[in-house]
Amino acid sequence: MAIFMLAHSIEDYITCTAAQVTGASANSLRQFRMSSEIYKYDDHFKTAREYLEHFHSDMLGEDVDEGLAMAWTLGQLHQTFTGDRDFGRRLLDVGSGPTVYQLISASRVCPEIICSDIHKGALAEIKKWKNGDPNAFDWTDAVKFVCELEGTRWESRQKQLQNAIKDTVVCDVFKENPLHPTVFSLFDTVITAYCLEGACWDKGRSTYADTVRNICSLLKPGGYFILMSYIGVTYYIEGGQKLPESLRLDPEFVLKSLSEAGITVLETSVYKTPEREECVFSDVKSILYVVGKKTQ
């Protein structure tokens, strides 16, 4: 997967320096920049498609910083959505980026999925895939991997996911209502994968806790909250330089933030990243997976 430095607000995104995070098998934390003529996805990739090709062309392979984290993530999501919990009909994915892998298992039980992100180019990639555009990024490997776990046919499950994605909307996690001005009723389930740590990488822990509260406000009481987060990052590598990360997230703080936002944690899992002498994108130590339920 990889983390990105996210835009601090829609206004930042529109005026010139934005940053966004998205989860994926090798997603990296970077800044989004934009000129008057072209929207750059981040400092390394001109478009969301270039990002996808770089990080997801071999999405189930072993990544230098994260090892086999994608397979682990898909396995965790599979276990969650094949259990006996009722996740309801309506699911919101916060910080989708240009990816859909995080929704494959969910689409089996949630027939109405809304994808959200601050980067319109990322959302456009999801729309292309949903609509069956022959030039869309190919998620077949991820779909087949999940279907092997499920014992289902990948063609029908891929169509099920495409049909389940009902809309793509702009989302700003720094707003009290991240989906404003779009209006939705509260959701049965909310997922956020490798998003908030990227949005808040240089903003500190209090801002991170605020964003957790903001997105949890979109979840109905009794609804389920699923979070995937990088843990232990102290720096990101950008242009050969190490950029200090201000959050220094640990599981205890993430779980505390969820509790303060009205989420009762039901289960957690941790994936340890490989020991390595040199890091490519960050010195991420582990990945935290959390399933919780909103109690207030």
Side-chain angles (χ1 to χ4, degrees):
M1 284 142 251
I3 317 174
F4 306 89
M5 303 164 192
L6 269 195
H8 300 149
S9 69
I10 295 296
E11 288 73 23
D12 289 344
Y13 173 76
I14 291 175
T15 54
C16 216
T17 63
Q20 162 101 23
V21 169
T22 181
S25 146
N27 298 344
S28 85
L29 223 132
R30 325 204 179 288
Q31 270 189 324
F32 291 104
R33 300 232 196 266
M34 174 175 104
S35 73
S36 59
E37 297 180 357
I38 186 169
Y39 294 97
K40 289 186 68 177
Y41 191 66
D42 63 25
D43 283 345
H44 289 266
F45 306 103
K46 291 181 179 179
T47 66
R49 180 54 179 265
E50 285 187 13
Y51 159 79
L52 287 171
E53 296 290 352
H54 184 86
F55 286 114
H56 295 280
S57 58
D58 183 24
M59 67 186 76
L60 294 171
E62 187 166 6
D63 178 69
V64 173
D65 287 335
E66 299 172 25
L68 298 173
M70 172 59 89
W72 178 83
T73 298
L74 293 176
Q76 292 297 310
L77 289 164
H78 166 71
Q79 290 179 30
T80 295
F81 286 101
T82 53
D84 57 4
R85 297 186 178 111
D86 181 3
F87 291 95
R89 292 185 56 83
R90 301 175 59 251
L91 180 148
L92 171 68
D93 181 29
V94 175
S96 304
T99 68
V100 298
Y101 72 90
Q102 67 276 17
L103 302 171
I104 300 169
S105 294
S107 67
R108 196 178 186 188
V109 296
C110 297
E112 299 177 23
I113 295 174
I114 304 297
C115 296
S116 68
D117 201 272
I118 202 169
H119 195 279
K120 293 182 179 179
L123 296 175
E125 286 294 331
I126 293 176
K127 288 180 183 178
K128 285 170 61 176
W129 181 82
K130 168 187 166 51
N131 294 330
D133 187 322
N135 295 315
F137 186 78
D138 186 3
W139 291 101
T140 301
D141 287 348
V143 175
K144 285 183 175 179
F145 181 88
V146 174
C147 289
E148 287 181 8
L149 298 176
E150 294 177 346
T152 57
R153 296 177 61 85
W154 76 268
E155 296 93 342
S156 60
R157 283 290 285 112
Q158 177 165 279
K159 191 64 178 177
Q160 186 176 26
L161 174 55
Q162 289 172 321
N163 290 337
I165 297 174
K166 302 302 182 186
D167 203 355
T168 58
V169 298
V170 172
C171 174
D172 181 352
V173 297
F174 296 100
K175 291 183 176 180
E176 288 189 14
N177 177 1
L179 299 182
H180 180 79
T182 309
V183 178
F184 288 97
S185 57
L186 297 179
F187 290 87
D188 300 305
T189 298
V190 171
I191 287 181
T192 184
Y194 313 105
C195 170
L196 300 183
E197 63 271 39
C200 302
W201 75 278
D202 61 346
K203 294 300 180 185
R205 286 187 165 193
S206 62
T207 299
Y208 177 89
D210 288 341
T211 63
V212 171
R213 219 168 9 250
N214 292 343
I215 65 174
C216 286
S217 72
L218 302 171
L219 181 64
K220 65 172 54 173
Y224 288 96
F225 186 83
I226 299 166
L227 174 141
M228 285 145 272
S229 177
Y230 291 90
I231 296 296
V233 177
T234 65
Y235 65 84
Y236 295 102
I237 298 175
E238 191 71 63
Q241 297 183 336
K242 293 181 179 179
L243 305 181
E245 202 260 18
S246 67
L247 287 176
R248 307 294 174 97
L249 287 182
D250 54 66
E252 292 75 19
F253 179 75
V254 173
L255 298 181
K256 179 176 179 286
S257 298
L258 289 173
S259 177
E260 291 174 348
I263 302 297
T264 297
V265 173
L266 303 176
E267 60 184 69
T268 63
S269 299
V270 175
Y271 172 86
K272 299 292 185 181
T273 57
E275 295 287 339
R276 63 247 190 231
E277 293 184 1
E278 293 187 5
C279 302
V280 177
F281 298 111
S282 80
D283 63 338
V284 57
K285 310 299 191 303
S286 61
I287 294 171
L288 176 66
Y289 181 91
V290 182
V291 178
K293 191 171 186 178
K294 188 172 183 179
T295 54
Q296 60 184 28

